[in-house]
Amino acid sequence: MNRADRYCVIGNPIAHSKSPLIHAAFAAATGQALQYDRCLAPLDGFEATMRGLIDQGYRGANVTVPFKLEAARLATRLAPRAQAAGAVNTLIFADGEIVGDNTDGPGLVADIVRNAGVALQDKRILLLGAGGAARGALLPLLLQNPRQIVIANRTLATAEKLVRDFAAHATKLAVSGFADIEGGFDVVINATSSSLAADVPPIPTSVFHPGTLALDMMYGNKPTVFMDFAASHGAAVRDGLGMLVEQAAEAFALWRGVRPDTAPVLAAMRQPQQ
Ligand code: ATR
């Protein structure tokens, strides 16, 4: 009997993950026979759990909080964008190798460019935050050839370190504290985790102008406080659900060689009760 190829999302906690729903929809739409489960790894047992999955014949995995850095260390080979991100959200098990990739940043870019219809070339981008989420976004954003990316963070030193790590792109990058951000931006991306605490980074409202796209990487049942703040100052707003679906599509494409159509899945997930 032919068994479907197996994949999973591994994290802790994991019960809330929407990835199984998304990948099941992609598999159905593309006619790919695969099984995709949730896998809860103990906080001190990521590597052992991964080895167990490989032994069971799994073909790949998505990795989520808090294991993305550990996944990068476990990989025997890293894609350049995972290397730049310092984190892995997609693993491919093939030919005895554990290949680590990161589709979070490409998912963000796909959501902005394809779904929101905002080209990034020559645009001025404000990236709020300098943690893992911001780091993962940086190289894919730079590859779109924006005019400038200003990285603003509560802790300035962390933003400065991030720019040092991307020294090859120094002419395109600038660092700022929240209060000192100057000028208006075409795209403002909230890559801080402030929305989890219902906080808004204290940035000048002059960063927004009509036509600014403001995207929060977080999502929930209602707009985040950052989205409400940006909308009240004239920006068009998006949450992180599109990025979630797009990063999944990029991972699916890496595993299966076919990129699913994301629009119907995103539309279904936007329905209440999903
Ligand atoms: P993630 O993987 O989600 O990026 P992280 O690496 O812990 O998580 O980074 C969290 C980011 O959110 C950091 O940029 C953090 O700012 P600091 O470097 O100053 O800690 C930012 N952050 C978290 N809570 C915040 C808040 N309430 N207001 C503003 N920034 C916040």
Side-chain angles (χ1 to χ4, degrees), residues 65 68-69 128-135 152-156 158-159 178 190-202 217-218:
V65 177
K68 290 184 184 184
L69 301 182
L128 302 173
R135 180 177 288 268
N153 196 42
R154 185 173 58 181
T155 310
L156 198 59
T158 317
F178 286 143
N190 185 14
T192 75
S193 46
S194 60
S195 293
L196 290 176
D199 246 358
V200 177
M217 288 193 186
M218 301 283 158

Side-chain angles (χ1 to χ4, degrees), residues 4-7 23-24 27 30 32-36 252 255-256:
D5 290 342
R6 293 172 81 185
Y7 302 85
H23 283 281
T30 57
Q32 295 277 313
L34 62 87
Q35 185 187 324
Y36 188 108
F252 192 94
W255 292 327
R256 310 303 299 180

